[in-house]
Amino acid sequence: MSQTSPSVDREELRALVADALELPVEEVADDASFPDDLEVDSLTALEVAVRIEKRYGVKFAEDELKRLTSVDAAHALVDARVAAQV
Amino acid sequence: MATSVRPVAIVSGGSRGIGRAVVHRLARDGLDVAFCYRADRDAAARVVKEADEFGGRTLARQVDVADAAQVRDFVTAAEDALGPVRAVVTSAGITRDKPLAVMDDADWHAVLDTNLTGVYHLCRAAILSLIRQRGGCVVTMASIAGVHGSATQSNYSASKAGILGFTKALAKEYGRYGVRANAVAPGLIDTDMTGAMSDKARQQILSRVPLARFGTAAEVAALVSFLISDDARYLTGQVVGLDGGLVV
């Protein structure tokens, strides 16, 4: 688990997101907006968040769930949470 | 957060009537139960004492389900004390019966706020927990009034009909997480709510019930118990009537 490191592997996170979205990993750019660029619906976005929570052993607050709209955003949120746990 | 080997249920309206019977039944089934009640502290204390005799843990909180913050605090307290919620039963409900022509706005809003918005508040506060566990269930207490309408109960009927749509929407939204949602639609059940009816009214209605009696709160609780159980694991999005054949 990555909890031992304050830095979350971006490529691993991207692969997790791509898997949850059922998209090729190369289509999931750092700044691609889930709803606007990848046409991810709100329920699927929730699925992404829950998978990230489980993988990294974190729990997002509700306002954080709403901000989880790209790999960049997800990385920033998870990285901060994991770092806070160390 | 405390952990428990027993599943955890939260129940609204647990100090009286059907909600009280549900608390008893779920405790008997081996669940830890947190329930909220609106006013009757002594009745709630009795329910806790009775439920505790089944060997689990019971928590009671005074909550107005129409108040979102109070409901959130209740769910947080329940999970802190007992562990992640696995089952949600919404049973809090009130009536303010009047013909629509003379209904006060306050009577409309009071019933909708408690009966429908209260369901939203409780489910809203608990749903993420169910999603994170990838399983669990919601059982909402509707009514035959919500399915078929009931004279002098336009507010109550509307609130219960709203619960049906809400419950079906939950079933569709969260089935992918293994979360089930079903509504119970009781008919005439012997509770203090129906106890206020006149003998004449009771007899008139009973004449239309093929099983020729009122149902009991324990019978509703038994149905809730089934809906929560693994035996109902393929059952979701349904409205299950329990009315002695009244609407056949």
Side-chain angles (χ1 to χ4, degrees):
Chain A
M1 290 284 282
S2 298
Q3 284 113 315
T4 55
S5 165
S7 181
V8 169
D9 186 312
R10 183 182 288 267
E11 293 313 311
E12 183 187 310
L13 178 62
R14 189 195 317 283
L16 187 157
V17 171
D19 185 61
L21 299 181
E22 299 180 346
L23 289 172
V25 72
E26 59 273 16
E27 286 188 21
V28 185
D30 283 345
D31 60 351
S33 163
F34 295 163
D36 298 332
D37 300 321
L38 303 179
E39 298 180 344
V40 175
D41 63 51
S42 55
L43 271 178
T44 306
L46 186 59
E47 171 74 21
V48 172
V50 172
R51 286 209 201 183
I52 292 173
E53 284 188 335
K54 188 175 180 187
R55 166 63 187 87
Y56 295 100
V58 297
K59 253 187 195 179
F60 296 121
E62 286 183 19
D63 64 316
E64 292 175 322
L65 289 174
K66 292 172 186 168
R67 283 165 26 214
L68 220 154
T69 55
S70 67
V71 168
D72 271 347
H75 187 265
L77 283 169
V78 178
D79 212 40
R81 281 305 190 86
V82 171
Q85 288 180 345
V86 173
Chain B
M1 178 182 288
T3 57
S4 171
V5 295
R6 297 163 64 103
V8 175
I10 54 174
V11 180
S12 67
S15 67
R16 65 188 180 91
I18 291 171
R20 176 183 182 177
V22 168
V23 172
H24 282 184
R25 177 60 190 245
L26 298 187
R28 197 183 97 185
D29 287 349
L31 283 81
D32 287 338
V33 183
F35 72 89
C36 63
Y37 62 98
R38 187 168 196 168
D40 195 339
R41 203 171 287 187
D42 292 340
R46 285 194 296 274
V47 174
V48 169
K49 189 177 176 191
E50 292 158 1
D52 278 347
E53 291 175 5
F54 294 110
R57 294 176 296 171
T58 315
L59 177 147
R61 285 289 163 94
Q62 189 166 7
V63 170
D64 178 358
V65 294
D67 185 316
Q70 288 186 35
V71 175
R72 277 197 303 272
D73 289 347
F74 162 61
V75 173
T76 299
E79 295 208 305
D80 286 347
L82 305 177
V85 169
R86 192 73 180 175
V88 179
V89 183
T90 69
S91 188
I94 61 171
T95 54
R96 297 281 189 277
D97 299 352
K98 274 180 191 169
L100 179 62
V102 294
M103 182 171 288
D104 296 327
D105 288 352
D107 292 330
W108 173 268
H109 290 299
V111 170
L112 269 289
D113 288 352
T114 294
N115 295 13
L116 181 57
T117 305
V119 172
Y120 159 71
H121 287 155
L122 191 65
C123 293
R124 176 72 179 81
I127 194 68
L128 260 176
S129 191
L130 303 185
I131 292 169
R132 284 173 172 139
Q133 295 173 73
R134 293 190 174 272
C137 59
V138 172
V139 179
T140 55
M141 205 55 63
S143 165
I144 55 167
V147 181
H148 298 280
S150 177
T152 74
Q153 291 193 311
S154 58
N155 48 3
Y156 185 79
S157 300
S159 71
K160 296 298 185 180
I163 287 173
L164 302 182
F166 177 84
T167 306
K168 291 176 183 181
L170 285 195
K172 289 186 173 179
E173 276 186 29
Y174 300 111
R176 66 166 71 185
Y177 295 102
V179 176
R180 300 183 294 105
N182 293 291
V184 175
L188 295 161
I189 306 298
D190 241 333
T191 64
D192 52 0
M193 203 180 272
T194 52
M197 297 168 67
S198 69
D199 284 344
K200 184 180 176 186
R202 289 170 71 94
Q203 290 309 316
Q204 279 179 342
I205 292 174
L206 271 180
S207 69
R208 294 163 44 207
V209 178
L211 289 182
R213 66 172 176 84
F214 278 51
T216 68
E219 287 167 333
V220 181
L223 176 56
V224 172
S225 168
F226 167 70
L227 290 173
I228 285 175
S229 74
D230 280 347
D231 286 340
R233 59 189 171 272
Y234 199 55
L235 189 64
T236 194
Q238 302 303 303
V239 180
V240 185
L242 191 79
D243 58 15
L246 176 62
V247 297
V248 169

